[in-house]
Amino acid sequence: MEVKTFGVIGAGQMGNGIAQVAAMSGLQVIMNDIKEEFVQRGLNNITGILSKNVEKGKMTAEEKSAVLGRIKTSVNLQDLEAADYVVEAATENQPIKFKIFQDLDKICSPETILASNTSSIPIGRIAAQTKRPEKVIGMHFMNPVPVMKLVEVIRGLATSDETFKVTWDLSIKFGKTPAESSDFPGFIANRILMPMINEAVYALYHGVGTPEAIDTVMKLGMNHPMGPLTLADLIGLDTCLAIMETLYEGFCDSKYRPCPLLRKYVEAGWLGRKSGRGFYEYK
């Protein structure tokens, strides 16, 4: 199967990054979201990143124009009918993702592969919303997408070998390094990462240290590029909470119980960088 037109559902932080790397690899891209302002914001973000690449001499102005010329914006899901491969990068909310896949299953050609960028929701659950479970797969990019090299490729129970190979090869085409994960809640990355972040929140909750102290220990003591609370703010505390809830529900194990302080911050609207306040304040 040859992928020529690549669809992305969601033009937010993850979605526009996925659209950018797909367009830079030479594919025609359809970037879809529910509002015109969302897709324009996503396109502006891509344009800004490419402009910086031109300034740094990493690409020419002509190459930038060519990449942008391969990206079509859309606010109508029906436009995805033209795609050979679609990645859903909507919010980490199970009912929303289920509805998107139900709609895509009706809109897209039976040959189209439907992938999810979900951080934690089992692919089998998502695939069950369609009549093509063999063509549903997890393609989990890391944030920020243009910079991070990893793509987790998650096979559902029914995912075909062809679907897996196309996804694996696409990851390499995008300049990424794919890693295969079995279909468990959280997969590999977030099954390990999120409990660490959650434990850092517990350390703050119990008064073990300030956010600055907790992050400094992990940066200087464990050589992490950023502390867990800074990383949580970057990811979004609502996303962190949603992933922890998926782990807790999926494994029925108290070690995955979300910290009450994390839940309290989310309920207060303190979501991290995107809201201006999380464990730190942002201007």
Side-chain angles (χ1 to χ4, degrees):
M1 175 185 174
E2 184 180 3
V3 177
K4 295 181 179 179
T5 302
F6 187 87
V8 182
I9 307 297
Q13 192 173 32
M14 295 301 293
N16 70 62
I18 296 169
Q20 178 185 324
V21 297
M24 289 179 70
S25 77
L27 297 181
Q28 296 296 317
V29 177
I30 303 168
M31 184 172 67
N32 172 278
D33 213 316
I34 56 174
K35 291 184 179 179
E36 185 65 34
E37 64 184 277
F38 295 164
V39 291
Q40 283 306 314
R41 189 184 306 154
L43 189 60
N44 290 342
N45 190 64
I46 295 170
T47 303
I49 292 173
L50 296 180
S51 296
K52 288 180 181 177
N53 287 343
V54 172
E55 291 172 10
K56 294 176 181 177
K58 294 181 177 179
M59 68 189 317
T60 66
E62 290 75 20
E63 288 170 334
K64 169 191 165 183
S65 296
V67 171
L68 292 174
R70 288 193 285 269
I71 301 173
K72 172 187 173 183
T73 59
S74 160
V75 292
N76 185 350
L77 206 62
Q78 194 68 42
D79 293 336
L80 275 298
E81 183 180 13
D84 305 307
Y85 194 110
V86 180
V87 171
E88 166 273 317
T91 184
E92 192 70 2
N93 177 289
Q94 190 164 272
I96 290 175
K97 290 185 185 295
F98 283 1
K99 180 65 166 61
I100 290 170
F101 274 81
Q102 289 162 6
D103 292 342
L104 288 174
D105 193 39
K106 297 171 186 174
I107 291 168
C108 296
S109 159
E111 299 305 311
T112 300
I113 292 173
L114 305 180
S116 178
N117 183 56
T118 178
S119 305
S120 60
I121 301 169
I123 299 304
R125 290 186 200 170
I126 296 173
Q129 308 306 309
T130 75
K131 295 179 180 177
R132 64 180 86 193
E134 74 284 355
K135 289 190 172 292
V136 177
I137 194 166
M139 192 180 195
H140 181 210
F141 292 82
M142 304 295 122
N143 184 32
V145 178
V147 176
M148 301 296 280
K149 291 296 184 183
L150 176 67
V151 173
E152 267 188 307
V153 180
I154 307 103
R155 298 181 73 141
L157 190 62
T159 304
S160 72
D161 289 341
E162 182 191 24
T163 297
F164 179 82
K165 186 178 187 311
V166 170
T167 304
W168 189 272
D169 291 347
L170 265 182
S171 302
I172 294 170
K173 183 181 179 72
F174 292 169
K176 307 301 181 186
T177 300
E180 182 180 358
S181 171
S182 295
D183 192 20
F184 285 90
F187 319 126
I188 296 172
N190 283 316
R191 183 170 178 173
I192 297 170
L193 173 64
M194 283 301 158
M196 183 195 74
I197 288 176
N198 195 51
E199 194 61 31
V201 182
Y202 266 115
L204 178 64
Y205 183 51
H206 292 148
V208 179
T210 64
E212 292 82 2
I214 292 166
D215 280 352
T216 297
V217 166
M218 296 306 291
K219 284 191 294 181
L220 302 185
M222 287 41 172
N223 204 28
H224 290 194
M226 70 175 72
L229 300 180
T230 299
L231 179 56
D233 277 354
L234 176 64
I235 294 168
L237 303 194
D238 51 341
T239 300
C240 293
L241 178 60
I243 295 169
M244 287 307 302
E245 287 176 332
T246 298
L247 290 170
Y248 189 40
E249 175 211 358
F251 291 110
C252 299
D253 190 328
S254 61
K255 73 180 181 181
Y256 297 115
R257 183 172 70 93
C259 178
L261 184 62
L262 177 60
R263 191 178 303 279
K264 187 177 290 187
Y265 273 41
V266 172
E267 289 172 349
W270 295 3
L271 307 181
R273 285 184 176 272
K274 61 186 173 185
S275 69
R277 179 163 187 174
F279 296 110
Y280 299 93
E281 291 190 31
Y282 303 90
K283 294 181 181 179

